[in-house]
């Protein structure tokens, strides 16, 4: 369910003009890959990166956290 909500969010961000995106997770590469596969058709490209969140955020969010960020590509430079 949580990945489906993120897919909807990705579509909204794309509709608002976002053309680049990233995926981050905490010890959940399977969900991250599912999110990538589902959002690739929305953005028409691969994410700029897929990464595991570091221990500081991980200590607060815990294993299983997954997120997506989307903006204009220049914001990621």
């Amino acid at each position: 369910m949580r990945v489906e909500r993120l897919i909807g969010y990705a579509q909204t961000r794309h509709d608002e003009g976002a053309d680049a995106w990233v995926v981050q997770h905490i010890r959940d590469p399977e969900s991250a890959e599912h999110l990538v596969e589902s959002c690739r058709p929305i953005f028409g490209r691969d994410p700029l990166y897929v990464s595991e969140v570091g221990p500081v955020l991980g200590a607060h969010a815990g294993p299983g956290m997954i997120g997506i960020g989307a903006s204009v590509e220049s914001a990621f430079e």
Side-chain angles (χ1 to χ4, degrees):
M1 178 63 169
R2 62 195 168 112
V3 173
E4 285 70 28
R5 289 183 66 195
L6 292 172
I7 295 166
Y9 174 73
Q11 184 65 60
T12 298
R13 294 295 299 132
H14 182 263
D15 293 346
E16 293 171 346
D19 62 352
W21 59 297
V22 300
V23 172
Q24 293 189 296
H25 67 92
I26 299 175
R27 295 175 48 192
D28 194 355
E30 294 83 15
S31 291
E33 183 58 30
H34 175 67
L35 186 59
V36 168
E37 293 300 321
S38 298
C39 291
R40 188 177 287 125
I42 294 170
F43 290 98
R45 62 187 289 182
D46 288 334
L48 295 177
Y49 60 85
V50 177
S51 66
E52 190 162 10
V53 173
V56 173
L57 184 59
H60 296 283
M65 189 240 34
I66 185 161
I68 185 169
S71 188
V72 294
E73 187 166 6
S74 62
F76 290 101
E77 295 175 351

